[in-house]
């Protein structure tokens, strides 16, 4: 797995989340379900070689759901890929031995995090109309 695979996988993991957030208000647990199914299917394709990766998907989904409920989309765009790839590469280094120099795999993590942030701004999750109206209503009643 190279740096390009890390960036492509980041794209496949983050873009659906951004499009879902752009269109709907998601209930808690929806990204956990999305990531768990995704990571299970990736593990099945690889013949259950590294089934512990499923745990990364579950925890990453829960982390995403927490940030979504708190409406911290910028933080989500940075923390989620950072968490996924740090845990993934550290797990590989511990259990299988890392064939890359530290500069290479940390560079892959940084690039995927920057790419996720760029994707976030390209798709631009807007503030919802209902959120704007409730804020506007509160401001008018204060005066």
């Amino acid at each position: 797995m190279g740096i390009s695979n890390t960036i492509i996988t980041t794209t496949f993991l983050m873009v659906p989340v951004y499009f879902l957030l752009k269109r709907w208000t998601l209930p808690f647990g929806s990204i956990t379900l999305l990531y768990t199914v995704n990571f299970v299917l990736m593990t099945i394709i690889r013949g259950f070689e590294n089934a512990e990766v499923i745990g990364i998907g579950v925890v990453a989904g829960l982390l995403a759901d927490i940030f979504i409920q708190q409406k911290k989309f910028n933080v989500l765009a940075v923390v989620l890929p950072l968490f996924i790839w740090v845990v993934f590469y550290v797990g590989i280094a511990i259990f299988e031995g890392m064939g890359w120099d530290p500069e290479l795999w940390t560079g892959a993590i940084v690039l995927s995090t920057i790419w996720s942030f760029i994707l976030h701004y390209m798709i631009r999750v807007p503030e919802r109309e209902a959120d704007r109206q409730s804020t506007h209503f509160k401001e008018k009643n204060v005066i």
Side-chain angles (χ1 to χ4, degrees):
M1 186 164 156
I3 293 177
S4 60
N5 286 349
T6 304
I7 293 172
I8 290 169
T9 304
T10 300
T11 303
F12 286 140
L13 289 174
M14 298 305 293
V15 167
V17 173
Y18 298 148
F19 277 120
L20 288 171
L21 288 172
K22 187 174 183 174
R23 177 66 180 99
W24 293 290
T25 301
L26 300 176
F28 189 83
S30 56
I31 303 302
T32 304
L33 178 65
L34 176 73
Y35 274 17
T36 302
V37 169
N38 188 343
F39 279 67
V40 166
L41 292 175
M42 286 192 304
T43 304
I44 289 171
I45 288 173
R46 293 183 157 248
F48 294 99
E49 285 178 6
N50 42 356
E52 56 274 352
V53 172
I54 297 171
I56 297 173
V58 173
V59 175
L62 287 171
L63 191 65
D65 284 326
I66 290 169
F67 285 127
I68 289 169
Q69 292 298 313
Q70 296 176 356
K71 300 196 184 317
K72 297 187 178 194
F73 303 121
N74 292 337
V75 177
L76 172 76
V78 173
V79 171
L80 194 57
L82 188 66
F83 170 78
I84 291 171
W85 293 116
V86 166
V87 172
F88 180 78
Y89 284 126
V90 167
I92 287 177
I94 290 171
F95 296 113
E96 298 176 16
M98 180 65 77
W100 292 0
D101 292 331
E103 294 85 4
L104 192 59
W105 62 270
T106 54
I109 292 169
V110 169
L111 284 175
S112 69
T113 303
I114 291 170
W115 178 241
S116 173
F117 198 68
I118 290 170
L119 287 172
H120 168 69
Y121 273 98
M122 285 172 51
I123 296 172
R124 187 60 60 101
V125 177
E127 184 181 358
R128 292 187 180 52
E129 186 66 29
D131 295 338
R132 267 188 257 131
Q133 286 177 353
S134 66
T135 305
H136 182 67
F137 181 71
K138 288 177 186 174
E139 290 173 358
K140 278 189 167 183
N141 285 339
V142 172
I143 296 176

